[in-house]
């Protein structure tokens, strides 16, 4: 090989390497730009401190607002039940929420207002035929008893809309918390 052809080959290889580097750099730039666009649009994952996706601020705000104790729900130690949110709050005498959780309502809702726990039963069969525990009764609606309870097997109610039931079903651990909190004459505030 002559000196001229060796130099020509070296230049050719150098150009190929430079071209390959440029292509790889361009593809990396495009990938980074696409990922940045996804994050800006809200469609891509947002990295948390550990690199895992984290929820957006607006989703966290909505969740926090949903869990917030309703205004005008009374004062003092009480149970608050929101018909619209299907959520319960156990509120201590210091106005601090000790627990909040979602529930499954029956087919009959109580009217918004102030109630008190009138009876408690450890175990009974619900109107849907399911054994329930930690039954806390606080009112009546259209002749139907209304209260909180938890299925012994932890199941959600399978409601027949033609059947009148005022049982507000809770998860088992939430039912236990209600049982411990809502003794006879405990105030229950039902809000829209």
């Amino acid at each position: 090989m002559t000196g001229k052809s060796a130099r020509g080959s070296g230049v050719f290889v150098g150009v190929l390497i430079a071209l390959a580097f440029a292509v790889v750099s361009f593809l990396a730039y495009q990938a980074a730009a696409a990922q940045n666009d996804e994050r800006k649009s809200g469609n891509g994952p947002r990295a948390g401190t550990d690199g895992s996706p984290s929820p957006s601020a607006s989703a966290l705000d909505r969740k926090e607002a949903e869990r917030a104790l309703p205004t005008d729900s009374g004062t003092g130690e009480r149970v608050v039940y929101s018909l619209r949110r299907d959520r319960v709050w156990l509120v201590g005498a210091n106005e601090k929420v000790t627990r909040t959780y979602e529930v499954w309502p029956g087919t009959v809702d109580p009217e918004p207002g102030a109630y008190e726990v009138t009876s408690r039963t450890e175990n009974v069969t619900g109107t849907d035929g399911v054994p329930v525990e930690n039954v806390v009764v606080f009112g009546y609606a259209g002749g139907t008893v209304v209260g909180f309870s938890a299925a012994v097997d932890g199941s959600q109610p399978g409601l027949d809309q033609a059947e009148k039931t005022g049982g507000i079903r809770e998860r088992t651990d939430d039912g236990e918390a209600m049982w411990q909190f809502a003794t006879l004459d405990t105030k229950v505030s039902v809000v829209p």
Side-chain angles (χ1 to χ4, degrees), residues 1-79:
M1 202 173 358
T2 65
K4 197 174 190 184
S5 67
R7 265 193 311 249
S9 297
V11 170
F12 181 72
V13 170
V15 168
L16 283 178
I17 290 173
L19 185 58
F21 182 77
V23 169
V24 169
S25 296
F26 178 73
L27 291 175
Y29 169 78
Q30 278 189 320
Q35 187 177 28
N36 193 31
D37 287 345
E38 281 183 352
R39 285 187 179 147
K40 284 181 182 176
S41 70
N43 295 331
R46 287 173 171 71
T49 56
D50 62 355
S52 63
S54 61
S56 69
S58 61
L60 289 174
D61 291 344
R62 280 192 305 274
K63 186 174 182 178
E64 192 62 34
E66 188 68 22
R67 296 174 59 93
L69 181 66
T71 56
D72 300 326
S73 65
T75 59
E77 188 172 295
R78 66 196 181 281
V79 174

Side-chain angles (χ1 to χ4, degrees), residues 76-159:
E77 188 172 295
R78 66 196 181 281
V79 174
V80 177
Y81 171 47
S82 171
L83 299 169
R84 187 182 37 178
R85 294 194 222 171
D86 295 330
R87 179 171 285 278
V88 166
W89 293 261
L90 305 181
V91 184
N94 58 1
E95 293 299 313
K96 298 280 188 199
V97 174
T98 61
R99 189 180 187 106
T100 182
Y101 53 90
E102 292 179 318
V103 294
W104 299 284
T107 59
V108 177
D109 285 331
E111 291 293 321
Y115 300 84
E116 288 184 350
V117 174
T118 57
S119 69
R120 294 164 30 104
T121 306
E122 285 189 61
N123 294 290
V124 69
T125 300
T127 55
D128 58 359
V130 174
V132 294
E133 62 186 357
N134 299 326
V135 179
V136 176
V137 174
F138 65 88
Y140 293 89
T144 301
V145 174
V146 178
F148 303 102
S149 64
V152 172
D153 66 2
S155 66
Q156 296 179 22
L159 296 178

